[in-house]
């Protein structure tokens, strides 16, 4: 049972978390319209009461803000209530959680890690149902060709690209601005 939810500002906009007795039951990424994030949380968790987060949830909020400001926290120890998802999805989410900030994987690589080589589409579906975006970093999973694939969170692939940019993730073999080494001209008179 969901006990509560709270909205909070982040570098990418208004996000939210919902929690229960066994950990977080959901996370919410920013919506385009004012009030939409609150409305979506109310629809997803109609029995939840909006209020101040307990200390563990407040710490998670701080860590999410740090990550979305360019930090490297992987959030893997955040307590999630996996009873709200199917067993297959849980396996997908556990593998996705192991992808560090700034790195990416593919649907096929996750299928291989699960020992289910033909499951790439099912993995994409599971990630599309991810109730904990950011904490279960579905944004770090790309198509086999390095393209973004889908992203069911508000803002779609634009939001995915924005978060990957914040994390300085490599999404292709092409060099990025982060790969360039800048030289400093020698001082005059030498």
């Amino acid at each position: 049972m969901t006990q509560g939810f709270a909205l909070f500002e982040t570098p990418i906009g208004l996000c939210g978390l919902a929690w229960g007795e066994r950990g977080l039951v959901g996370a919410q990424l920013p919506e385009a319209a004012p009030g939409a994030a609150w409305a979506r949380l109310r629809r997803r968790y109609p029995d939840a009461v909006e209020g101040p987060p307990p200390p563990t949830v407040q710490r998670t909020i701080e860590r999410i803000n740090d990550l979305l400001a360019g930090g490297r926290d992987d959030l893997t120890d955040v307590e999630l209530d996996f009873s709200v998802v199917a067993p297959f999805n849980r396996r997908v989410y556990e593998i996705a959680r192991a992808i560090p900030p700034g790195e990416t994987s593919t649907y096929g690589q996750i299928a291989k890690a699960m020992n289910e080589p033909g499951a790439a589409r099912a993995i994409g579906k599971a990630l599309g149902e991810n109730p904990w975006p950011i904490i279960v970093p579905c944004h770090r999973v790309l198509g086999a060709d390095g393209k973004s694939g889908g992203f069911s969170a508000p803002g779609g692939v634009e939001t995915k690209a924005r978060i990957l940019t914040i994390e300085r993730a490599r999404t292709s073999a092409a060099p990025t601005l982060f790969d360039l080494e800048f030289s400093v001209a020698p001082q005059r008179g030498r």
Side-chain angles (χ1 to χ4, degrees), residues 6 10 14 17 43 56 64-65 103-104 111 163 174-175:
T10 73
L14 192 63
L17 292 177
R43 278 192 312 276
T56 56
I64 289 170
N65 266 301
E103 295 187 24
T104 59
I163 297 169

Side-chain angles (χ1 to χ4, degrees), residues 88-169:
F88 178 86
N89 291 23
R90 179 180 180 153
R91 289 176 52 214
V92 171
Y93 301 156
E94 288 171 343
I95 292 169
R97 286 185 92 183
I99 306 167
E103 295 187 24
T104 59
S105 188
T106 66
Y107 301 104
Q109 288 170 324
I110 291 177
K112 186 176 179 181
M114 293 177 68
N115 207 19
E116 302 220 20
R121 284 188 188 269
I123 288 163
K125 182 179 181 304
L127 290 171
E129 296 169 355
N130 175 14
W132 305 284
I134 300 294
I135 300 160
V136 171
C138 51
H139 62 279
R140 296 181 191 142
V141 182
L142 306 174
D145 54 6
K147 293 192 176 163
S148 66
F151 196 60
S152 61
V157 293
E158 184 177 303
T159 299
K160 183 175 189 168
R162 186 173 179 199
I163 297 169
L164 288 171
T165 299
I166 290 168
E167 293 183 356
R168 297 178 300 281

Side-chain angles (χ1 to χ4, degrees), residues 6-19 24-30 41 53-80 97 101 130-137 139-140 159 162-163 166-167:
L7 295 164
F8 56 97
E9 283 295 334
T10 73
I12 66 168
L14 192 63
C15 290
L17 292 177
W19 59 88
L24 294 180
V25 295
Q28 172 69 40
L29 290 178
L41 279 170
T56 56
V57 176
Q58 181 59 45
R59 178 67 185 128
T60 299
I61 290 169
E62 293 163 7
R63 292 172 66 192
I64 289 170
N65 266 301
D66 180 63
L67 178 67
L68 292 173
R72 306 310 276 176
D73 191 336
D74 62 17
L75 306 172
T76 57
D77 61 334
V78 171
E79 189 75 29
L80 303 178
R97 286 185 92 183
N130 175 14
W132 305 284
I134 300 294
I135 300 160
V136 171
H139 62 279
R140 296 181 191 142
T159 299
R162 186 173 179 199
I163 297 169
I166 290 168
E167 293 183 356

